[in-house]
Amino acid sequence: MNPQIIERLPGAKDIEQPKGRGRRFTLNGVLWPLQVVFGFFFAGSGFGKVLLYDGVLYAAAPRAVAWYAAVPQPLIVFIGVCEVLGGVGLILPAMTGVKPKLTPLAAAGLTLTMILAAGFHIVRGEYALVPANLLLGGGTAFIAVGRGKLRPVAPATITTSRALQSFAVLGALALLVCAPTWYTMTNVQF
């Protein structure tokens, strides 16, 4: 009913008007998109580093990313593996309910990685890279606290539906993140 008409009715001042059904933000509603975005970002970023196991790609990489020249190849690949596993860990354990405590642990590990990366870039005088490290570290810290203490996901048994969802997420990671990263790194001249 129109609010102006209601006000003209006798006794209308005593009637409590229903609140509008606006969009409500919940912690869970904020955490899920963050987990997906950060999960995809870290999986893609890490996959690019994992590809540097190839000596030819590693030799060309410092032309695109200057700090690669200061880090041994095995360490870059190790960081990449950690980022890929952390990115997947932000999404799958919470989504399936199987070992959901791994999600805040993955987020905490990625937070530590970003703190160390910020320190590394400060020591090298690469101050322009530090805000990105702090933003990524802050986001993953928020996920770690949110999923660890404030809004944890309850453990559940794996079902066919959850398994299929997991495979769909892994397929999306492969198609949307890993395949373009692989193509770019193997076919584009730096």
Side-chain angles (χ1 to χ4, degrees):
M1 189 177 244
N2 188 340
Q4 294 171 343
I5 295 172
I6 292 175
E7 288 178 6
R8 286 187 258 154
L9 294 174
K13 302 233 190 260
D14 299 333
I15 299 174
E16 187 173 320
Q17 301 297 323
K19 302 283 186 220
R21 297 196 67 153
R23 186 161 266 185
R24 216 176 90 211
F25 289 102
T26 63
L27 182 58
N28 195 45
V30 170
L31 285 169
W32 273 114
L34 283 178
Q35 286 173 246
V36 170
V37 169
F38 279 71
F40 273 63
F41 172 81
F42 278 106
S45 173
F47 186 70
K49 292 176 183 84
V50 169
L51 289 177
L52 296 180
Y53 75 89
D54 182 350
V56 174
L57 289 176
Y58 177 71
R63 288 189 294 250
V65 181
W67 67 264
Y68 284 171
V71 179
Q73 182 181 17
L75 181 57
I76 293 175
V77 173
F78 175 73
I79 293 168
V81 168
C82 291
E83 287 182 356
V84 169
L85 293 176
V88 171
L90 289 178
I91 302 170
L92 287 187
M95 186 179 83
T96 62
V98 177
K99 302 289 185 192
K101 290 285 184 188
L102 292 176
T103 294
L105 290 176
L110 291 170
T111 301
L112 178 61
T113 302
M114 290 298 103
I115 291 169
L116 294 172
F120 173 78
H121 292 305
I122 289 170
V123 168
R124 286 183 41 89
E126 299 170 331
Y127 302 112
L129 299 174
V130 174
N133 295 137
L134 296 178
L135 176 72
L136 292 167
T140 54
F142 180 76
I143 293 169
V145 171
R147 285 295 177 216
K149 299 280 184 201
L150 303 176
R151 193 68 168 86
V153 174
T157 57
I158 190 74
T159 63
T160 303
S161 172
R162 287 188 177 136
L164 292 174
Q165 288 175 346
S166 298
F167 289 125
V169 167
L170 290 174
L173 279 170
L175 289 174
L176 299 174
V177 176
C178 296
T181 301
W182 170 81
Y183 179 80
T184 302
M185 290 187 68
T186 56
N187 292 305
V188 175
Q189 297 295 324
F190 294 109

